[in-house]
Amino acid sequence: MTAKNQTPILQHLVDITGHRDHSRLELSVVSALRQLMDIRRVRKLEFSTHNGETSVRPMLLLDEGQVLAESEHAGPEHGEPLSAYPELLDCIEENTNSTQRIADDGVVTLWLPVRLDQKVVSCIEITNDKAYSAQTIEVIHGIIEVYRNYQSLLDYSERDALTGLFNRKTFDEQFARYARGSTPPGERRGADTQWLAVVDIDHFKQVNDRFGHVYGDEVLILVANLLRSSFRANDRIFRFGGEEFVVLLRSADLDSARSIFERFRQNIEEYDFPQVGRVTVSVGFTGTSQGAPVEILGHADQALYYAKQHGRNQVCFYEELMSSGALQVADVAHNDVELF
């Protein structure tokens, strides 16, 4: 490859490593693949585990040369079984960096797993109408390897070590930016409201006291897995520390948001936690269209506090509590939780 041919690749590598946001990182990789290889379709496959079964949720990033909005092209809500991707399953089990399938019509699908701490956390799936040359395969591998390495660096700084969810620092950065009206490239803010929920495991101290911190940590990990499987690929889930989590739910009307949070609460209630048995959660949520980030998070926290004070194991909506008089302005004025 000549120096002239290397120049566009180097420019794309500079762009890829110039981001500190996962969405922008992914889209810069997609742009590089589109411009350098004229690839037809790129999907990111996200993995979640529930009851020992691994599910795959595809998120379409590029289709027919067009970069797509993730909120409009997320995959099935509950995902597909990993067994529906036999070549990818074999690739993961054999710990190889890629695998491909050539269909009868000549369409080629290439899978490139992304690992963190030797665990596959996602996969880049590339589809094209014709076979790739050896040189193209080499370039694709190089770009994806840069993406893997750089994403690992971002993950170490952005994710909670125990659960693998985004951490508090990442929430502060992402939500403050989102509340100012900034959205990831390729994603538009729809007419539907965005929602923020605070989730707290009920009586979690009793779990640690009765069963020990090892089982307590296992409960946290399992709750994190249930969070992943209960929400969509384009929603954002964070662990705030201890037994508290935050969910940023994208583009849903009120009825849908309430239904999604209620379904998650039920998923927790019905799950059989090893040794511990039954665990429940309380949820407080609010809309994000009005107020500063600190106020929005405070409203969700007050709805959560109300749920905890009135029986636990329920979902409470801040605006509804205020309009019904269940919460008063005086009740929320003394919120002393350190939010940012």
Side-chain angles (χ1 to χ4, degrees):
M1 184 177 292
T2 66
K4 181 179 180 180
N5 291 333
Q6 290 177 356
T7 300
I9 296 177
L10 292 174
Q11 290 173 343
H12 281 292
L13 294 180
V14 169
D15 184 52
I16 289 170
T17 56
H19 300 295
R20 292 185 57 203
D21 177 88
H22 281 276
S23 296
R24 288 173 169 80
L25 170 62
E26 289 167 359
L27 289 172
S28 66
V29 170
V30 168
S31 296
L33 295 172
R34 178 186 61 175
Q35 294 178 25
L36 294 172
M37 271 65 97
D38 194 27
I39 287 170
R40 191 183 81 184
R41 188 178 76 169
V42 176
R43 298 196 304 175
K44 178 185 178 184
L45 309 180
E46 297 190 339
F47 298 91
S48 62
T49 302
H50 182 55
N51 288 335
E53 297 294 328
T54 300
S55 296
V56 178
R57 291 195 293 183
M59 188 166 65
L60 195 54
L61 302 177
L62 175 75
D63 193 29
E64 300 298 342
Q66 297 298 314
V67 177
L68 302 173
E70 64 173 39
S71 61
E72 297 173 356
H73 299 273
E77 191 169 294
H78 296 290
E80 306 166 302
L82 180 56
S83 57
Y85 299 77
E87 295 90 352
L88 175 57
L89 179 59
D90 289 343
C91 177
I92 292 172
E93 291 180 346
E94 295 169 6
N95 200 33
T96 54
N97 286 331
S98 69
T99 188
Q100 67 177 2
R101 177 180 65 204
I102 302 178
D104 293 339
D105 58 2
V107 173
V108 179
T109 303
L110 178 66
W111 290 280
L112 303 111
V114 178
R115 292 179 173 84
L116 180 64
D117 291 333
Q118 304 303 314
K119 179 182 178 181
V120 175
V121 294
S122 64
C123 177
I124 298 298
E125 178 193 84
I126 298 172
T127 303
N128 210 25
D129 293 322
K130 57 184 180 180
Y132 303 101
S133 68
Q135 184 181 40
T136 298
I137 290 285
E138 184 178 352
V139 173
I140 291 174
H141 272 273
I143 291 173
I144 297 301
E145 195 61 35
V146 171
Y147 166 71
R148 285 179 178 133
N149 292 342
Y150 197 65
Q151 177 164 276
S152 293
L153 291 175
L154 289 180
D155 278 337
Y156 278 120
S157 64
E158 293 185 351
R159 293 189 182 270
D160 171 61
L162 178 66
T163 64
L165 299 177
F166 289 119
N167 59 26
R168 173 63 180 272
K169 173 178 174 290
T170 306
F171 170 83
D172 291 349
E173 294 173 350
Q174 290 192 7
F175 187 58
R177 182 170 61 245
Y178 184 83
R180 291 195 301 267
S182 174
T183 57
E187 179 181 327
R188 64 178 179 83
R189 297 179 74 158
D192 288 335
T193 305
Q194 325 300 314
W195 309 93
L196 184 140
V198 181
V199 177
D200 190 86
I201 302 175
D202 296 328
H203 301 298
F204 183 70
K205 184 177 184 299
Q206 294 181 14
V207 174
N208 282 329
D209 290 345
R210 290 181 60 194
F211 302 100
H213 287 278
V214 172
Y215 281 103
D217 285 350
E218 184 176 15
V219 167
L220 292 170
I221 292 169
L222 292 172
V223 168
N225 288 338
L226 288 165
L227 278 162
R228 291 188 186 94
S229 63
S230 299
F231 292 93
R232 302 164 300 179
N234 57 313
D235 299 323
R236 293 292 178 264
I237 308 168
F238 309 83
R239 183 190 178 199
F240 261 35
E243 66 272 26
E244 192 169 78
F245 303 84
V246 168
V247 178
L248 183 59
L249 185 70
R250 305 288 184 88
S251 299
D253 59 33
L254 174 57
D255 289 341
S256 297
R258 193 195 304 270
S259 176
I260 291 169
F261 291 130
E262 180 63 26
R263 184 186 65 234
F264 162 68
R265 184 200 63 77
Q266 292 176 353
N267 288 344
I268 295 291
E269 185 179 24
E270 295 169 0
Y271 189 83
D272 184 19
F273 289 82
Q275 184 70 24
V276 175
R278 183 173 180 265
V279 171
T280 63
V281 295
S282 298
V283 181
F285 77 102
T286 185
T288 67
S289 58
Q290 295 183 355
V294 63
E295 295 174 309
I296 295 168
L297 186 56
H299 291 168
D301 193 70
Q302 287 297 326
L304 170 68
Y305 183 77
Y306 184 91
K308 303 284 278 189
Q309 292 294 107
H310 292 80
R312 295 182 169 85
N313 190 26
Q314 59 183 304
V315 176
C316 290
F317 175 40
Y318 171 81
E319 283 77 0
E320 187 173 72
L321 294 174
M322 291 295 291
S323 63
S324 69
L327 273 180
Q328 304 290 332
V329 174
D331 296 330
V332 303
H334 67 275
N335 182 13
D336 58 358
V337 178
E338 182 184 354
L339 299 175
F340 289 89

